Structures are given as structure tokens and as C-alpha cells.
Amino acid sequence: MTTERADLHTERLVLHPMTREEAERVVRRRPGPGDRWGPGYPDAMDVRGAQVLLAASGTDGDHRPVGNYEIRRRDDGRAIGGIGLDRAAGAADAVTVGYGLNASARGQGYAAEALRALLAFAWSQGVVRVEADADLDNLASQHVMAAAGMRPVGQDHRVRYFAATAPGGRPAPGGRTTAPGGRATAPGAGQLGSS
């Protein structure tokens, strides 16, 4: 039995946990009667996140906080991107995060606002560590993660790795200074979107 999850609210955004039906419409790129999609939504990263959600939705139960969330503006209810969490490989109390905003919504601080809200939710669900990465030349995404409280923990020839630890939480054993053990499969995984 799947437990329905509640929307997460910020000052300007609603992070709406996607349902299977919503994900199917995003993959088909055909909105339903109640869908309010902003310009450019869904883009390729939104479709990829919805496909991941559909692939994982065959399992029963509430997998909180893992899952995909549609990012919607509060003022008009329009979907402008997606954000999601996935379990980090080899760590029961760690997750990876990925996100993406459609081009028309970037540069307004929405990405950092959504990321802060999802981090707070992850902490409330017992997550101790959140990990992410961004290509070395994706400075906008690196700034978003820093603005949301994530810190650089290493890099390789291609990407810079970031992590955040829950307030009062313990760092991961040994603390990572190189690539995290798993790659995000949430929206925007591997190349996080810019703000």
C-alpha cells in the first residue's frame, strides 16, 4: 500500500510529490485537465526524473523522503521544474539529490529555495547526509548548493562533489573527500540545473 505524501511549502514554491499518473503525463508530455505547466515544462530532465519514478513505483510502501517532487510556483501554481532524492549507494542514512529548473525559471533563487526545503524535509525523516554533484563548469549549480548549505567535499576531472550533514547529525564514517558511492537518479542527476 502506497502512502500519499504531502506537499512541501516554501515562501514562493510548492514541492509536490509526483504521483504515478502525473509522471506518466510528464513522460508523454501531455498535461491532464488539472495540470498547470509553466513555459518549457517538462524538459528532458523532468521526463528523465518521471521515468525514474515510474521504474521505482512498482514497489510498495512509503519510501520517504526518496522520490520526485514537481517544483511549482505558489503565485500561479505552474510547474517550473523538478527535484528529487534517491538512496545513496551503501549508506542507509544518506541520499543523493538532483534538480532542474526550466530555463524560464532560472536566476530567481527558486533552485536554492527548493533545495533548502528538501534538505529540511530529509533531516526531519532521519536522513543524516545528502550528497550531490555538478559539472566543474556548472558554477550556477555549485552556487545553488552552497546557498542551500551544502559544501564541496571533493572533485575529479569532471565534477565537483557536495554534501550536507543534518544539524546535530554525525558525519558519514570517514567523511567523503572523493566521489560519493552512488550517483543521483533523481531529476537532473549528474548535471544539476542552475537557479
Side-chain angles (χ1 to χ4, degrees):
M1 175 181 204
T2 302
T3 304
E4 189 170 321
R5 297 177 291 162
D7 290 347
L8 304 175
H9 296 270
T10 71
E11 182 180 343
R12 300 180 299 159
L13 302 172
V14 173
L15 305 185
H16 172 72
M18 289 185 78
T19 65
R20 181 175 181 78
E21 293 77 19
E22 290 164 338
E24 288 170 347
R25 292 193 297 271
V26 166
V27 168
R28 288 192 314 265
R29 295 180 188 245
R30 290 189 183 154
D35 293 327
R36 297 183 53 116
W37 292 356
Y41 185 86
D43 68 11
M45 293 178 113
D46 298 313
V47 170
R48 181 174 155 197
Q51 290 169 331
V52 169
L53 177 93
L54 291 172
S57 68
T59 60
D60 290 336
D62 183 6
H63 302 283
R64 231 176 286 211
V66 171
N68 294 5
Y69 298 78
E70 193 173 66
I71 301 173
R72 299 174 178 173
R73 285 189 303 247
R74 286 182 77 162
D75 63 357
D76 64 6
R78 299 224 178 257
I80 57 172
I83 189 166
L85 297 171
D86 195 9
R87 292 282 172 209
D93 56 0
V95 295
T96 57
V97 64
Y99 67 88
L101 286 179
N102 302 121
S104 65
R106 294 179 186 160
Q108 300 174 57
Y110 291 140
E113 187 173 332
L115 183 52
R116 279 190 297 272
L118 203 56
L119 289 173
F121 180 65
W123 308 148
S124 77
Q125 299 299 303
V127 170
V128 173
R129 184 177 171 93
V130 176
E131 302 171 348
D133 64 65
D135 286 349
L136 293 175
D137 62 354
N138 191 345
L139 298 178
S141 188
Q142 293 176 42
H143 290 299
V144 165
M145 288 186 278
M150 299 186 79
R151 297 292 171 246
V153 294
Q155 70 181 50
D156 61 24
H157 68 284
R158 191 178 61 82
V159 297
R160 179 164 289 139
Y161 301 97
F162 285 77
T165 303
R170 58 177 168 61
R176 289 201 174 118
T177 56
T178 58
R183 304 286 295 184
T185 55
Q191 170 95 21
L192 299 178
S194 60
S195 65

